[in-house]
């Protein structure tokens, strides 16, 4: 066996910020070298950030990424880090292929590079291009068809990109045939609830299949609707977990591995399952024996803290959306209800109380407790709150045009939206929308009203989860001996939009426990009327809810982005026609 | 040679309206039978409408489509049409394939069916799945791997779906190897400006390659952002145009063809380029000789009427969006400017003057001619107009919060948006947004202000095209001896948002002739700073415009859908990250 110290850099790049991302790589490579690493590994597309979406189709952006990657190799060498091989992901293009109808022009690739001695020494590209859920890669890239196997200090290391590990054939089969000592994968794999150990199990299975150590380095941080949770790890050839990074935060960890020394065996000859092994040699002699450090093995909390993990993801989402879009502060309409209370609490945890502004916008239908609960929330968290009565503005509209019923209800929400946006434009705050996934799914919101905003922190949380999150956050505070941030009354009172006298959500919607379960079954698993009826729901209720969901598509498209925490989101990863006359009948 | 009378039904289905689409097929099949056709052909996915997008991933929708297709076969037979083979597109699923990670669950397919004698006699599925531009098919479907070759009255006919004709390999190669008499393709191919003869040339090239007649039947009508322009056609084996339908409108046309009689030759053995030929026999004897009818050969207007064709596409887009979404009327804010004047004129041509409502919303910054021009427009076209002064409402907001500068400008636009939406909610009109593509690209609009609406008729028209369209429409009226619908002053005056005293668009934007050319080069062809500078633009201007465009992404995402007329739209077919720090520097 030969020893190797591998540094994995779980970092948080920003899409398009080539200079900033380059600095992140330089900083972490320096630290890796200081820690005595023989190899430093960064996530998929770290040079450009992920996802680049249709930026991949801009030739000038592809050129800039390639240029930045060469500049990075040079900068590493200039800083005296040239002897440390640094693995990065970057946007490249395939050369020497003809234009093909329907293929991305310029043949962009989701590529891998090994930077060494001031040069881009090895390159390859992702073979399997995911195009489901949040991924559009078949649209944006052309596939790579090689697997680089790099001999480093006498060990053969294969490198692959993200999805190439998830699919059974292609690079995995080629790595097995090439008898590598380890397979290192670079990833940009977004967080999803209830998927905590899926990646670990995948790495374990692949390690056993290939008969080699598998290293998995993932991105962290929020990028628009995606949250990358890190969770980088290494498993040995038997599938035993060797090292594991913390979740959600930047982390550089080194792991000392003892890997099989590469023999004289070359090959395989020709492509394996469409992928050709290309061998490179950096150094053949194993490093002199040294005393290994104990690996980093971040413990995972028990499953009961799943809600806590969701909360943490939401905080990261808000923090990075604000930071990456250049907002120093956020503004939120505080109604005294649970949605705005939780949204404000997440914002305070993300940005600090002094950067969160609350706007209380009572109308003639607002109950006394609405204002009192909102004021109490602001007081507990140090939120700067101001109150604006909307009645005079509503009256001015009603003097101009006659509106009643739903039109008059929507008017109040739109007056509030306009006030929020006005203060955002005037003072520079990011407006956070407070809608939850149940409302959004059912269309229980006002377009251009309560749906205004730049980011919607709880848009992927069912209402029942909103309550759970609020209770969890308060309990956490109590455990720490702090005042619970959310007033108990905001959690316990029956939800109401307060747009007409005595209005309750239950006037228009089923009880949230029933509604959320039904929505989750319809949206999360695409079950139809018959299956949902068999599952025990009233057929009339099912039809009513399905009709609500299908009709709300237009509003959902206009909703701000928000952190994704579930496998089936309502917007970005569901592309439905707006005009859809179909209502399932059986 | 054997004779065959083929009926092509260029129809306008609605996504999700399985019953309505079934009725369209029945009606046209009856007319085809009455015209003595031996085969009736309908467009791609006529049973479900196109595009189904992620509805394809709903198992219950796939089941409903399959059920509807079988019901349609039965209904045809019940009506005495069972002897007429009817070719349709429908959503189906592939059976007998295992779940594969990353593949659409339930294996939906974009399928072909030949309905005959009350049964679904033949099925196959699209092989090449486009996933560029407006298409998401690789995401939504799994590919088919067979080419059906049907012997009908002694002629071998191959059937393929849309993209299968555009790609060189696969079904086209298999059809050639199978020595068919004709290849019939069913399509849902959207309109694009400047692509008038691309489909004809494609059919001609393929006909020569295969050595067989090619029939091409396309959808017509608007569906959300897409407009299908029909243009169904037939070319013979030498590539000569035989028959051609009119554009944009529903049409059933029969064509008498003399096709090579099929011999005993079977084969090819095994798959050709991944596609296996599957043969079916409906009838082996040629029909008795009959006197052919002259074919329909709709003449194409000269290229100079390209602007007229765009205008027609926009009218179809508005008409079908309103009809398919159940709106009987539209409401438009009339500013006296060219954008709202053109939008209103399109709406009147689509829906009739009595179904279009105009809202004049002058502020203290509105010039006298604004109101006069808007009133003149309404008078000329029979639009019901009402005037609401926004000053009192703006004053009520300004009494509630302090807003100045851009925030105060946006406020006026949002007050207008709220009034439009209020009347839409109160009276049921579809709000038409009046923004053009130049504004939208440059971000020169107010989010939740002038951008509100359900549909944006001119969102894919550069400002310079807006003027051209207005002039074209007025000239058409003059040619017909009618009063030009658009007041000359709305066309000739310098554009202004009128949100502050004496404001002109040129305060913030370059001259539209320069801006539009630059935007078209940046957005249409993805040229970067260097290429645009080489093309002769001022580097500073280029950088300023690129920065505007890249920063406006968020607003564009929130913009209503609108008819697509160019190959590069700003929204649906460009998926950019919201957070994008990249500005091209070289």
């Amino acid at each position: 066996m030969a020893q190797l110290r591998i540094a994995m850099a779980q970092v948080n790049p920003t899409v398009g910020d080539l200079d900033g991302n380059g600095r992140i790589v330089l900083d972490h490579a320096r630290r890796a070298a200081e820690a005595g690493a023989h190899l430093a590994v960064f996530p998929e597309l770290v040079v450009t950030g992920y996802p680049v979406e249709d930026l991949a189709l801009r030739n000038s952006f592809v050129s800039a990424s390639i240029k930045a990657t060469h500049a990075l190799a040079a900068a590493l060498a200039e800083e005296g880090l040239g002897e440390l091989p640094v693995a990065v992901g970057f946007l490249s293009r395939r050369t020497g292929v003809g234009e093909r109808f329907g293929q991305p022009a310029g043949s962009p690739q989701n590529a891998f590079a090994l930077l060494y001695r001031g040069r881009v020494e090895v390159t390859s590209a992702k073979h399997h291009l995911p195009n489901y859920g949040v991924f559009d890669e078949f649209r944006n890239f052309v596939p790579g068809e090689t697997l680089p196997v790099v001999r480093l200090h006498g060990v053969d290391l294969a490198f692959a990109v993200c999805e190439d590990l998830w699919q059974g054939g292609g690079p995995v089969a080629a790595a097995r045939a090439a008898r590598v000592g380890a397979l290192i994968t670079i990833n940009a794999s977004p967080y999803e609830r209830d998927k905590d150990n899926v990646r670990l199990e995948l790495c374990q299975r692949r390690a056993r299949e290939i008969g080699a150590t598998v290293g998995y380095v993932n991105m962290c941080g929020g990028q628009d609707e995606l949250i990358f949770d890190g969770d980088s790890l290494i498993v040995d050839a038997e599938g035993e977990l060797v090292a594991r990074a913390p979740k959600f935060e930047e982390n550089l960890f080194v792991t000392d591995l003892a890997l099989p020394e590469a023999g004289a065996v070359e090959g395989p000859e020709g492509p394996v399952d469409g992928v050709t092994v290309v061998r490179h040699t950096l150094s053949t002699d194993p490093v002199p024996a040294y005393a290994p450090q104990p690996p980093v093995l971040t413990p995972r909390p028990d499953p009961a803290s799943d809600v806590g993990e969701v909360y943490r993801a939401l905080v990261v989402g808000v923090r990075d959306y604000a930071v990456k879009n250049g907002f120093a502060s956020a503004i939120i309409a505080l109604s005294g209800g649970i949605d705005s209370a939780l949204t404000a609490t997440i914002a305070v945890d993300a940005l600090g109380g002094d950067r969160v502004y609350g706007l209380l916008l009572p109308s003639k239908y607002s109950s006394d407790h609405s204002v009192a609960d909102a004021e109490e929330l602001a007081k507990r968290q140090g939120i700067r709150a101001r109150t604006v009565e909307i009645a005079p503005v509503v009256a001015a509209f009603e003097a101009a045009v006659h509106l009643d019923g739903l039109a008059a209800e929507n008017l109040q929400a739109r007056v509030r939206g306009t006030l929020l946006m006005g203060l955002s434009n005037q003072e520079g705050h990011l407006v956070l929308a407070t809608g939850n996934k149940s409302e959004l799914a059912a269309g229980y919101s006002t377009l251009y009203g309560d749906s205004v905003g730049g980011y919607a922190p709880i848009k992927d949380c069912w209402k029942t989860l909103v309550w759970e999150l609020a209770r969890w956050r308060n309990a956490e505070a109590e455990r720490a001996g702090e005042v619970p941030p959310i007033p108990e009354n905001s959690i316990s009172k029956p939800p109401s939009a307060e747009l007409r006298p005595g209005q309750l959500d239950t006037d228009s919607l089923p009880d949230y426990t029933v509604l959320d379960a039904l929505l989750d079954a319809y949206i999360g698993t695409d079950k139809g009327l018959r299956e949902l009826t068999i599952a025990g729901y009233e057929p009339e209720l099912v039809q009513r809810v399905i009709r609500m969901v299908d009709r709300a598509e237009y509003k959902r498209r206009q909703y701000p982005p928000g952190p994704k925490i579930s496998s089936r989101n309502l917007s970005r990863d569901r592309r439905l026609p707006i005009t859809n006359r179909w209502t399932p009948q059986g």
Side-chain angles (χ1 to χ4, degrees), chain A residues 210-401:
Chain A
I210 303 169
T213 292
V214 169
Y216 183 102
V217 62
N218 194 18
M219 213 168 254
C220 68
Q223 178 69 47
D224 299 341
E225 296 213 277
L226 302 184
I227 301 156
F228 300 97
D229 55 336
D231 200 18
S232 303
L233 53 87
I234 297 177
V235 298
D236 68 19
E238 281 76 45
E240 284 297 307
L241 181 64
V242 174
R244 194 170 201 179
K247 294 193 80 170
F248 296 108
E249 59 199 51
E250 287 205 323
N251 187 267
L252 179 90
F253 65 105
V254 298
T255 311
D256 285 310
L257 297 170
L259 298 169
E261 207 168 328
V265 187
E266 287 287 315
E269 293 299 322
V272 177
D273 199 15
V275 172
T276 303
V277 171
V278 178
R279 293 183 181 268
H280 308 263
T281 300
L282 298 192
S283 47
T284 49
D285 293 336
V287 294
Y290 64 91
Q293 292 181 6
V296 171
L297 248 175
T298 314
R300 284 291 169 273
D302 62 84
S305 72
D306 164 52
V307 172
E309 190 169 88
V310 170
Y311 190 86
R312 195 164 170 205
L314 301 181
V315 170
V316 168
V318 171
R319 182 199 66 196
D320 282 358
Y321 192 86
V323 168
K324 293 184 180 183
N325 286 289
F327 287 99
S329 56
I331 189 166
I332 303 162
L334 300 179
S335 71
I338 184 64
D339 295 326
S340 61
L342 179 66
T343 302
T345 307
I346 291 165
V348 169
D349 285 338
L351 308 172
D354 57 329
R355 291 171 172 235
V356 176
Y357 292 75
L359 194 55
L360 281 67
L361 299 166
S363 75
K364 57 183 171 182
Y365 306 124
S366 297
S367 51
D368 292 344
H369 61 73
S370 299
V371 175
D373 293 342
E375 282 172 345
E376 174 64 20
L377 177 94
K379 199 180 108 196
R380 288 191 191 183
Q381 303 195 41
I383 293 170
R384 276 174 255 192
R386 77 189 110 175
T387 303
V388 176
E389 298 277 350
I390 66 165
V393 184
V394 171
F397 273 108
E398 288 177 343
V401 287

Side-chain angles (χ1 to χ4, degrees), chain A residues 2 29 68 129 143 150 167 177 195 208 282 313 327 339-340 353 398 412 418 426 430 458 471 498-500 550 555:
Chain A
L129 301 172
V150 177
Q167 304 286 347
K195 276 188 85 177
R208 288 188 210 105
L282 298 192
F327 287 99
D339 295 326
S340 61
E398 288 177 343
Q412 297 165 59
T418 300
Q426 184 75 23
L430 168 65
I458 57 171
R471 286 201 193 92
E498 298 196 330
L499 294 171
R500 60 171 187 262
D550 287 355
K555 274 192 211 172

Side-chain angles (χ1 to χ4, degrees), chain A residues 55-90:
Chain A
L55 275 179
L57 309 180
R58 282 206 190 143
N59 251 316
S60 49
F61 186 63
V62 180
S63 297
S65 164
I66 295 170
K67 209 168 135 187
T69 306
H70 283 271
L72 188 54
L76 285 162
E78 273 163 36
E79 296 228 7
L81 304 167
E83 292 301 313
L84 174 70
V86 174
V88 297
F90 76 118

Side-chain angles (χ1 to χ4, degrees), chain A residues 376-458:
Chain A
E376 174 64 20
L377 177 94
K379 199 180 108 196
R380 288 191 191 183
Q381 303 195 41
I383 293 170
R384 276 174 255 192
R386 77 189 110 175
T387 303
V388 176
E389 298 277 350
I390 66 165
V393 184
V394 171
F397 273 108
E398 288 177 343
V401 287
H402 172 74
L403 303 177
D404 57 27
L406 194 64
E409 292 185 33
N410 284 336
L411 172 64
Q412 297 165 59
R414 291 192 180 115
V415 167
R416 291 183 173 123
T418 300
L419 286 164
L420 275 172
M421 288 305 297
L423 290 174
S424 167
N425 290 160
Q426 184 75 23
E427 299 172 3
H429 318 298
L430 168 65
V431 176
L432 295 178
T434 59
N436 62 63
K437 189 173 182 174
S438 310
E439 280 179 9
L440 206 55
Y444 194 67
S445 71
T446 298
L447 185 61
Y448 318 127
D450 53 315
S451 66
V452 310
Y455 197 70
I458 57 171

